[in-house]
Amino acid sequence: KVLGRCYWNNPCEERSAHNAALPTTQQMDSSGGKLARVTKVLGRTGSRGGILQVRVEFIDDASRSIIRNVKGPVKEGDVLVLMETEREARRLR
């Protein structure tokens, strides 16, 4: 059985054991992660193009934005939980 793509801000209609086990955003935020919204998808990187490079803007501090590498499906407007926020990815060439 193939599951559809699920996003934090647009959850799937179908609930599976995998989706039910995911913690809520509030639980993740309280465990030390910072919430950041994807503002722009910059491109693909990695040896096979499986990593997306994105620019994210922190929800609690809208003036601060950094570039991060993300594995998996992501689009503009998605909310990511970043466990580490000091490191920034190198730009694509």
Side-chain angles (χ1 to χ4, degrees):
K1 187 173 182 182
V2 177
L3 294 176
R5 290 191 173 148
C6 299
Y7 298 98
W8 285 108
N9 59 352
N10 187 15
C12 291
E13 296 296 323
E14 182 180 352
R15 286 287 182 207
S16 67
H18 171 72
N19 288 339
L22 290 173
T24 64
T25 3
Q26 186 176 9
Q27 289 171 336
M28 282 191 196
D29 195 30
S30 65
S31 68
K34 282 203 165 201
L35 299 176
R37 185 176 313 280
V38 176
T39 57
K40 187 174 184 182
V41 177
L42 301 173
R44 291 190 171 269
T45 185
S47 61
R48 296 184 180 161
I51 307 295
L52 287 170
Q53 198 164 74
V54 298
R55 179 172 294 281
V56 297
E57 180 180 272
F58 291 99
I59 291 178
D60 59 349
D61 182 12
S63 65
R64 184 172 172 225
S65 68
I66 61 172
I67 296 172
R68 293 298 296 257
N69 293 330
V70 179
K71 185 175 182 180
V74 66
K75 64 180 191 245
E76 288 184 25
D78 284 352
V79 176
L80 304 177
V81 178
L82 303 179
M83 301 308 287
E84 196 277 322
T85 60
E86 296 301 317
R87 203 171 23 172
E88 188 166 354
R90 288 181 287 180
R91 290 294 307 249
L92 291 171
R93 290 183 229 152

